[in-house]
């Protein structure tokens, strides 16, 4: 691990000031469950680490009507945040998401938190850290960059690509997005607040627009620029709709999903009024299954419909030489997420 400066701000403005020194060659410390590994492996070498745990405005889970208000007038797109929008600070831990009375109606968030089968991660891991988690691709983690290249050649295509992308992988990026909460939040229509780089600058954007697929080694996996900070997540009131997530894990203990799916559906009896399905760990970004979601609308949600929607969602899959198995697993994740959202008991084994 290389030497670095350490700063612990107490306000958002102080945090942004610390992050903007050294030409933005800085790193954010929240739970630290992944940052410390990146530092020890010399995959990140920031001149300063900014510990944001002292910034109280980044904590808490509350409806907007009871919560800390970000600077100026918070907007989501052109719509004011309503009083019943759930505002989650970037420092909210997985344990807090599980324990909060305000997440009861957002079942998919609790499903994801429960699947982190390690008490240590639930206590220390933060929502903001999860959303910004860098890929778990073993080529990246062994120093070959986000694209897994050596001498201009893709190591992923020729090497072991069991856990790599089956969708959105036609470009140089073959890794899968590592965030476990992003599919559930995107399915529910979540927005995120980005502050900086200047203290008086902020913007809200849909979480699905937060992620990007890099085409060159110099690009990242999110739209965050040096000196910027993800501060809050806003989750709209589901208005009676139901959300669910399902992850396929190889191990019963701490593990990363082979594939995952989240959905948010609104039913009129057993007929689908609205639907959104989002896949995780199958593409360089959380993958919105738009055609499958649209196909569900107006149809009776039964076994045949669920199975067909899952098939539609994976019709464009382009598995690599070692990961064709992920297509079947991803379909199963969609089927089980839809069943959970509809209140159908799901065998979790």
């Amino acid at each position: 691990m290389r030497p670095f400066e350490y700063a612990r701000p107490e306000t958002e403005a102080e945090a942004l000031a610390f992050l903007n020194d050294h030409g933005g060659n800085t790193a954010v410390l929240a739970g630290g469950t992944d940052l410390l590994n990146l530092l020890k492996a010399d995959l990140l070498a920031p001149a300063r680490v900014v510990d944001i745990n002292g910034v109280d405005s980044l904590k808490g889970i509350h409806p907007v009507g009871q919560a800390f208000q970000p600077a100026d007038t918070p907007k989501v797109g052109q719509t004011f945040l309503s009083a019943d929008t759930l505002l989650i600070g970037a420092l909210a831990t997985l344990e807090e998401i599980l324990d909060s009375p305000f997440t009861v109606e957002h079942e998919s968030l609790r499903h994801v938190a429960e699947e982190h089968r390690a008490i240590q991660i639930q206590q220390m891991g933060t929502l903001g850290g999860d959303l910004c988690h860098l890929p778990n691709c073993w080529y990246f983690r062994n120093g070959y960059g986000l694209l897994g290249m050596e001498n201009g050649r893709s190591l992923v295509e020729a090497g072991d690509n069991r856990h790599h992308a089956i969708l959105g992988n036609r470009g140089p990026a073959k890794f899968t997005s590592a965030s476990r909460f992003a599919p559930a939040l995107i399915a529910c229509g979540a927005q995120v607040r980005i502050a900086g780089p200047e203290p008086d600058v902020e913007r809200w954007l849909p979480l699905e627009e937060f992620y990007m697929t890099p085409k060159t080694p110099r690009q990242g996996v999110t739209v965050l620029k040096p000196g910027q900070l993800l501060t809050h997540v806003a989750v709209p009131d589901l208005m009676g709709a139901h959300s669910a997530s399902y992850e396929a894990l190889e191990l019963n203990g701490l593990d990363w999903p082979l594939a995952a799916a989240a959905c948010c559906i609104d039913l009129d009896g057993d007929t689908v009024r609205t639907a959104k399905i989002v896949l995780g760990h199958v593409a360089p970004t959380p993958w919105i299954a738009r055609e499958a979601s649209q196909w569900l609308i107006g149809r009776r949600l039964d076994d045949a419909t669920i199975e067909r929607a899952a098939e539609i969602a994976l019709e464009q899959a382009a598995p690599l030489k070692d990961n064709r198995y992920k297509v079947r697993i991803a379909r199963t994740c969609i089927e089980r997420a839809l069943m959970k959202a509809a209140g159908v008991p799901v065998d979790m084994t």
Side-chain angles (χ1 to χ4, degrees):
M1 185 183 293
R2 301 188 188 191
F4 54 80
E5 295 177 1
Y6 172 82
R8 186 179 171 88
E10 295 183 352
T11 67
E12 183 181 297
E14 288 180 355
L16 292 173
F18 283 133
L19 286 170
N20 277 282
D21 283 346
H22 300 291
N25 182 26
T26 52
V28 174
L29 173 63
T33 56
D34 191 46
L35 177 63
L36 296 181
N37 293 327
L38 295 168
L39 294 175
K40 288 188 288 186
D42 204 24
L43 296 174
L44 292 180
R48 174 184 292 160
V49 170
V50 181
D51 182 350
I52 60 173
N53 284 283
V55 182
D56 289 340
S57 63
L58 305 183
K59 301 176 182 178
I61 303 174
H62 298 283
V64 165
Q66 304 177 26
F68 161 79
Q69 296 293 305
D72 302 325
T73 303
K75 291 184 179 181
V76 179
Q78 298 300 314
T79 306
F80 288 98
L81 290 175
S82 63
D84 51 8
T85 297
L86 188 63
L87 194 64
I88 308 176
L91 286 176
T93 66
L94 277 59
E95 186 175 56
E96 290 170 339
I97 290 172
L98 281 171
D99 292 344
S100 172
F102 300 115
T103 61
V104 172
E105 300 303 319
H106 295 82
E107 301 104 318
S108 59
L109 300 185
R110 293 191 170 210
H111 294 160
V112 177
E114 289 167 352
E115 288 300 316
H116 284 73
R117 299 170 185 173
I119 296 173
Q120 299 92 330
I121 300 298
Q122 290 182 348
Q123 290 181 336
M124 296 296 297
T126 64
L127 181 59
D130 174 87
L131 295 178
C132 297
H133 199 292
L134 290 174
N136 294 312
C137 165
W138 42 51
Y139 298 101
F140 166 64
R141 297 280 167 163
N142 281 283
Y144 292 100
L146 283 174
L147 303 182
M149 307 285 285
E150 185 178 45
N151 299 323
R153 181 175 64 93
S154 172
L155 297 175
V156 182
E157 288 188 14
D160 187 342
N161 47 44
R162 283 172 290 163
H163 300 312
H164 288 77
I166 58 173
L167 290 162
N169 58 0
R170 300 187 186 279
K174 312 293 185 186
F175 61 83
T176 61
S177 175
S179 173
R180 296 174 70 166
F181 279 96
L185 288 166
I186 291 172
C188 292
Q191 310 269 339
V192 291
R193 178 179 179 261
I194 296 175
E198 291 77 24
D200 58 345
V201 174
E202 66 162 7
R203 66 168 174 148
W204 286 93
L205 76 161
L207 180 57
E208 61 195 72
E209 297 177 12
F210 179 68
Y211 294 98
M212 58 181 288
T213 302
K215 293 181 173 59
T216 70
R218 297 180 62 85
Q219 294 178 319
V221 298
T222 73
V223 299
L224 280 178
K225 297 178 180 178
Q228 290 186 321
L229 181 65
L230 187 155
T231 69
H232 295 82
V233 179
V235 191
D237 183 4
L238 299 186
M239 304 293 290
H242 296 281
S243 67
S245 295
Y246 186 88
E247 296 181 336
L249 299 165
E250 190 170 7
L251 302 177
N252 286 327
L254 180 63
D255 195 14
W256 288 97
L258 299 172
C263 66
C264 186
I265 57 173
D266 186 19
L267 297 173
D268 181 5
D270 58 3
T271 301
V272 179
R273 285 194 292 203
T274 63
K276 191 167 187 178
I277 302 168
V278 185
L279 289 161
H281 307 277
V282 296
T285 65
W287 188 266
I288 304 174
R290 300 186 190 278
E291 291 185 9
S293 302
Q294 183 63 36
W295 183 86
L296 277 174
I297 296 174
R299 286 181 163 83
R300 182 173 177 269
L301 196 66
D302 55 21
D303 290 347
T305 302
I306 288 173
E307 183 176 342
R308 180 57 185 149
E311 291 174 352
I312 292 172
L314 275 298
E315 283 180 343
Q316 302 303 313
L320 304 173
K321 63 181 179 64
D322 298 325
N323 66 1
R324 184 169 296 277
Y325 74 96
K326 291 186 71 167
V327 177
R328 176 65 263 180
I329 290 179
R331 281 204 294 258
T332 299
C333 289
I334 293 173
E335 292 168 3
R336 295 191 177 187
L338 286 169
M339 290 169 64
K340 288 172 72 173
V344 178
V346 174
D347 182 1
M348 303 297 288
T349 61

